[in-house]
């Protein structure tokens, strides 16, 4: 199963150093039955794109918890055994948790298929979205518009071999 793990650039740098995205359990996003029902699509590429976008939103939340972090969303696409990723059935249709899964055990960076990262020019909009998250969560439509503005920036695809360049580390 392909899962999308939200990170920050500093989290990606740590994963590169340790070889693990996390020791587990890891919150990730995937094509779950609830996500399929919500998006009313049978196109797996559309559904995976939706899961990727859910992870990108979670990356914004991680950035909100790291005031000094570079304002770029990061999502790592990882292949895990189907049984390792479990959706919480009690939260299946909760819009906040749509597509959310927990991956048990450690998630090795070597299992990553790709890394998705904002381009440098997204920084201003991502920063504004991070600042607006709290108000958006409380129903402020203007703040939600700002948060949604970060989604106007497509995440760029990078091969895992490019991680050192992304995080400023040498091999």
């Amino acid at each position: 199963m392909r899962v999308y793990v939200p990170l920050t650039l500093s989290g990606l740098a740590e994963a590169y150093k340790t070889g693990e995205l996390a020791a587990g359990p890891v919150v990730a996003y995937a094509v779950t039955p609830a996500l399929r029902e919500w998006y009313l699509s049978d196109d797996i590429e559309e559904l995976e794109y939706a899961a990727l976008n859910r992870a990108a939103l979670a990356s914004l939340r991680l950035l909100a918890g790291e005031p000094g972090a570079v304002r770029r969303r990061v999502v790592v696409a990882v292949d895990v055994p189907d049984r390792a990723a479990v959706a919480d059935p009690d939260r299946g249709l909760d819009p906040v948790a749509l597509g959310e899964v927990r991956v048990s055990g450690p998630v090795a960076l070597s299992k990553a298929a790709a890394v998705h990262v904002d381009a440098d020019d997204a920084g201003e909009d991502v920063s504004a979205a991070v600042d607006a998250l709290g108000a958006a969560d409380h129903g402020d439509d203007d703040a939600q518009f700002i948060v949604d503005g970060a989604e106007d920036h497509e995440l760029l695809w990078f091969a895992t071999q490019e991680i050192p360049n992304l995080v400023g580390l040498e091999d």
Side-chain angles (χ1 to χ4, degrees):
M1 168 182 272
R2 170 76 41 100
V3 299
Y4 299 91
V5 180
L7 288 176
T8 62
L9 281 175
S10 58
L12 183 60
E14 184 63 25
Y16 182 74
K17 289 177 190 175
T18 65
E20 284 186 350
L21 293 173
V26 176
V27 173
Y29 294 81
V31 178
T32 62
L35 187 83
R36 283 180 188 276
E37 186 176 326
W38 186 267
Y39 282 91
L40 301 172
S41 175
D42 289 328
D43 184 331
I44 191 64
E45 288 183 12
E46 285 181 21
L47 292 166
E48 286 183 344
Y49 185 72
L52 172 68
N53 282 330
R54 300 297 298 167
L57 178 59
S59 179
L60 276 180
R61 295 189 181 288
L62 292 174
L63 288 169
E66 290 185 37
V70 176
R71 296 309 198 211
R72 290 170 72 189
R73 298 168 299 162
V74 177
V75 176
V76 180
V78 183
D79 293 316
V80 300
D82 288 349
R83 66 190 176 283
V86 179
D88 182 345
D90 294 332
R91 296 187 61 184
L93 293 177
D94 178 355
V96 174
L98 198 59
E100 185 179 284
V101 294
R102 297 213 182 269
V103 180
S104 60
V107 177
L109 186 59
S110 63
K111 298 294 182 187
V115 179
H116 303 272
V117 182
D118 275 312
D120 289 334
D121 67 352
E124 188 175 310
D125 288 336
V126 170
S127 185
V130 168
D131 293 342
L133 271 173
D137 287 345
H138 287 93
D140 183 322
D141 290 337
D142 292 334
Q144 186 62 53
F145 182 77
I146 293 169
V147 171
D148 292 344
E151 290 182 17
D152 291 341
H153 296 275
E154 294 287 330
L155 296 176
L156 303 177
W157 182 94
F158 294 92
T160 57
Q161 298 86 340
E162 297 177 272
I163 292 173
N165 293 333
L166 288 170
V167 298
L169 298 173
E170 300 289 325
D171 269 339

